[in-house]
Amino acid sequence: MFVHALVLRSAAVACAATLLVAAACAQSGVSAPSREDCLAEFTPQTGQPGKDVIWVPTNDRLVTRMLQMAKTTPQDIVYDLGAGDGKIAIAAAKEFGATAVGVEYNPDMAKLGQCYARAEGVADKVKIIQGDIFETDFSDATVVTLYLLPDLNLKLRPTLLEMKPGTRVVSHSFMMGEWEPDERSMTQDGSAYLWIVPAEVQGAWTFRERDGTDAFGIVFEQAFQHVTGTVGTGPSATLIADGRLTGSEIEFSLQRNGRTAKARGQVHDDRIDLTVTEGSREVVYIGTRS
Ligand SMILES: C[S@@+](CC[C@H](N)C(=O)[O-])C[C@H]1O[C@@H](n2cnc3c(N)ncnc32)[C@H](O)[C@@H]1O
């Protein structure tokens, strides 16, 4: 192993020595280690202790499935919290073209993951950083993956719910308490759950017709992605039904002019652009907080 490392180091020095031979070195594969080279430095054991949870890798097919559930694209920034050998972050880059960060507490595992990222040719898109998931800022993530434990998911939940609406969270095996998943996948490879961070709409809103004079008020009651609420006040108040948030998209049914109408809209912080469909008639309202 020592001789091997020495050979690699001398080759790297030779490669760096001249630009002319650098291309040849890259072609010969000297600049990128193989996965075996990475393992020669540190070989992890399934079940080895971790800070808050042991290391057990997610199987390859489930990794792909989790990233598919998140609808991962090259525009995404994927964080795997408790990254182990970096396999989810590496797959996010290799299979989906995403930028990815793995956060791993064990420094040997983090080094191994970074080495695997080089071996897989995605070191430009993947960083495996050594850190504690409860002390690392991952607020720029658009996709968060987890394979932790139920109580660790619950500990992360307030931070996840503060993330940008539409951020996708996918967990292998474990749930988020009473925050129900938006999608479940149960296969022989294991179970995975998807949550889409909902916008925050709790409270009183006034909706005014964009091209007219109609207006009404709604008080929304929100529990994660589920929304109930009351339209108007007093004896004529009615309840909304089937209210749901998918990221910043809101939909619900309400009573308008004595019949059931369907409302769909987009939440932009303190404004909701809402289209209410009553039969064949569509009316656009702008909602602001009352
Ligand atoms: C069950 S493994 C999952 C590995 C990888 N995400 C996967 O699915 O293949 C959990 C990983 O979290 C790491 N870990 C435990 N507590 C941690 C913490 N507080 N911060 C960062 N990583 C942690 C462990 O070392 C282990 O590698």
Side-chain angles (χ1 to χ4, degrees):
M1 181 176 113
F2 178 70
V3 174
H4 182 74
L6 210 62
V7 169
L8 270 180
R9 189 165 305 135
S10 332
V13 170
C15 286
T18 164
L19 282 174
L20 282 177
V21 293
C25 290
Q27 261 181 4
S28 69
V30 171
S31 55
S34 68
R35 290 179 72 91
E36 289 69 34
D37 293 333
C38 299
L39 284 172
E41 295 286 319
F42 172 71
T43 305
Q45 304 296 322
T46 299
Q48 74 190 16
K51 179 174 176 283
D52 294 309
V53 57
I54 60 172
W55 176 63
V56 178
T58 299
N59 81 57
D60 293 354
R61 282 196 303 265
L62 190 58
V63 168
T64 304
R65 175 84 194 108
M66 288 168 72
L67 293 166
Q68 282 169 342
M69 287 171 81
K71 297 192 166 61
T72 308
T73 73
Q75 280 68 53
D76 279 312
I77 302 175
V78 177
Y79 272 71
D80 184 30
L81 302 184
D85 65 0
K87 66 185 300 180
I88 295 183
I90 290 168
K94 247 190 121 167
E95 297 174 29
F96 297 85
T99 302
V101 181
V103 183
E104 171 55 48
Y105 192 79
N106 179 328
D108 291 324
M109 290 301 279
K111 254 169 81 182
L112 178 67
Q114 197 59 59
C115 189
Y116 278 165
R118 288 200 301 279
E120 298 291 346
V122 289
D124 57 332
K125 284 182 166 284
V126 175
K127 271 192 297 183
I128 310 296
I129 59 174
Q130 191 279 322
D132 189 324
I133 55 173
F134 297 107
E135 285 165 18
T136 303
D137 177 9
F138 54 89
S139 55
D140 59 331
T142 57
V143 174
V144 177
T145 56
L146 310 167
Y147 182 22
L148 298 169
L149 284 172
D151 60 318
L152 301 182
N153 283 7
L154 276 185
K155 202 169 157 192
L156 286 169
R157 196 175 80 179
T159 311
L160 295 169
L161 282 164
E162 284 293 307
M163 294 184 78
K164 196 167 171 290
T167 303
R168 289 88 79 209
V169 180
V170 191
S171 168
H172 174 179
S173 279
F174 303 114
M175 306 282 275
M176 288 278 172
E178 65 275 31
W179 184 13
E180 287 171 15
D182 292 283
E183 189 184 329
R184 298 160 199 255
S185 170
M186 315 289 202
T187 67
Q188 59 192 17
D189 301 317
S191 52
Y193 305 95
L194 167 77
W195 293 262
I196 300 170
V197 173
E200 207 265 299
V201 297
Q202 172 81 28
W205 293 75
T206 303
F207 289 89
R208 292 189 179 81
E209 194 179 351
R210 191 185 59 190
D211 304 318
T213 55
D214 189 30
F216 58 91
I218 300 185
V219 178
F220 288 124
E221 296 289 337
Q222 180 175 358
F224 305 103
Q225 68 272 61
H226 299 292
V227 181
T228 55
T230 314
V231 185
T233 52
S236 61
T238 55
L239 295 178
I240 68 167
D242 308 320
R244 191 176 184 93
L245 281 152
T246 307
S248 55
E249 284 167 28
I250 188 167
E251 59 179 338
F252 56 90
S253 301
L254 72 167
Q255 296 301 311
R256 295 294 295 154
N257 308 314
R259 49 202 287 212
T260 300
K262 191 84 200 150
R264 285 179 206 279
Q266 282 283 331
V267 184
H268 311 274
D269 296 321
D270 288 337
R271 168 187 162 139
I272 301 177
D273 295 341
L274 196 71
T275 301
V276 178
T277 308
E278 296 173 45
S280 58
R281 187 166 167 260
E282 282 197 347
V283 184
V284 177
Y285 293 85
I286 307 298
T288 51
R289 289 192 187 267
S290 308

